[in-house]
Amino acid sequence: LVRQPRRRKALRRDDARLLRVARQSHRTTEQRPALLTLGTTTNNAMQDPEHQLQCACVRWFRYAHADLSPLLFAVPNGGRRDHITGARLKAEGVVAGVADLLLLVPSQQHHALCIEMKTAKGRQSPAQKEWQQHAETHGYRYEVVRDFDTFERVVSEHLNNK
């Protein structure tokens, strides 16, 4: 058996850099390049700005709100799948249009926060708009986030209204 080399030191160095940047929340997105690149490792990920944004936002949240970290999670609804996998997921309860991230922390006005990640030019699908309507009708906050600053603001507003 060949042992795979560990990447712990590099990860720790990146995490320390991310933590420093996250603590300086007064900086603009242009001054936070580490947040936009950490957490992406594959060539496909580097070509997907929505993936990069979501990774950066989740990593910031995990450091800025470590106590709430388990309550923010992704819903892996996207991606291309074959017909058999799609049918199995549908039978298991996968619903089209569900938000990318869910933060299961209530505020004074909402049961939880649902976040749909989009690029600057990205648009919601009809299924996403329909799911947003259902979520908002039943007391959930739903936000479309297109950049890191908006994510940080939306999460902070939601958590400050506990």
Side-chain angles (χ1 to χ4, degrees):
L1 294 175
V2 177
R3 281 185 104 161
Q4 296 295 325
R6 291 187 179 184
R7 293 181 46 191
R8 280 190 154 164
K9 288 183 182 179
L11 183 61
R12 284 187 191 143
R13 198 174 323 121
D14 287 346
D15 289 347
R17 193 169 103 217
L18 176 66
L19 183 55
R20 273 196 317 274
V21 173
R23 284 184 177 153
Q24 298 170 348
S25 61
H26 63 280
R27 292 187 172 190
T28 65
T29 304
E30 293 79 28
Q31 294 170 317
R32 297 184 216 176
L35 289 172
L36 299 177
T37 58
L38 291 176
T40 58
T41 55
T42 65
N43 288 338
N44 289 343
M46 297 306 274
Q47 296 172 3
D48 185 356
E50 189 174 308
H51 169 79
Q52 288 180 323
L53 174 62
Q54 184 166 330
C55 288
C57 291
V58 169
R59 289 177 66 92
W60 169 81
F61 183 87
R62 300 261 185 262
Y63 285 106
H65 303 284
D67 57 326
L68 301 174
S69 183
L71 300 175
L72 176 75
F73 58 91
V75 177
N77 259 6
R80 303 212 185 279
R81 297 182 171 94
D82 60 60
H83 294 306
I84 295 170
T85 305
R88 291 181 70 192
L89 290 172
K90 189 172 183 178
E92 291 175 2
V94 170
V95 176
V98 175
D100 294 319
L101 294 171
L102 299 177
L103 176 57
L104 298 183
V105 176
S107 70
Q108 290 178 351
Q109 294 103 3
H110 302 97
H111 303 307
L113 174 60
C114 309
I115 301 170
E116 180 62 36
M117 306 299 289
K118 290 291 177 195
T119 61
K121 296 180 182 179
R123 294 188 306 186
Q124 286 180 286
S125 69
Q128 289 170 331
K129 289 178 182 179
E130 184 179 342
W131 195 87
Q132 176 181 358
Q133 178 105 29
H134 287 300
E136 290 175 338
T137 299
H138 292 283
Y140 294 87
R141 182 176 179 178
Y142 186 101
E143 296 286 341
V144 177
V145 170
R146 297 179 185 283
D147 58 55
F148 179 83
D149 291 330
T150 304
F151 178 84
E152 189 177 29
R153 179 184 52 77
V154 165
V155 167
S156 297
E157 283 175 4
H158 183 77
L159 294 176
N160 289 333
N161 285 325
K162 286 204 281 189

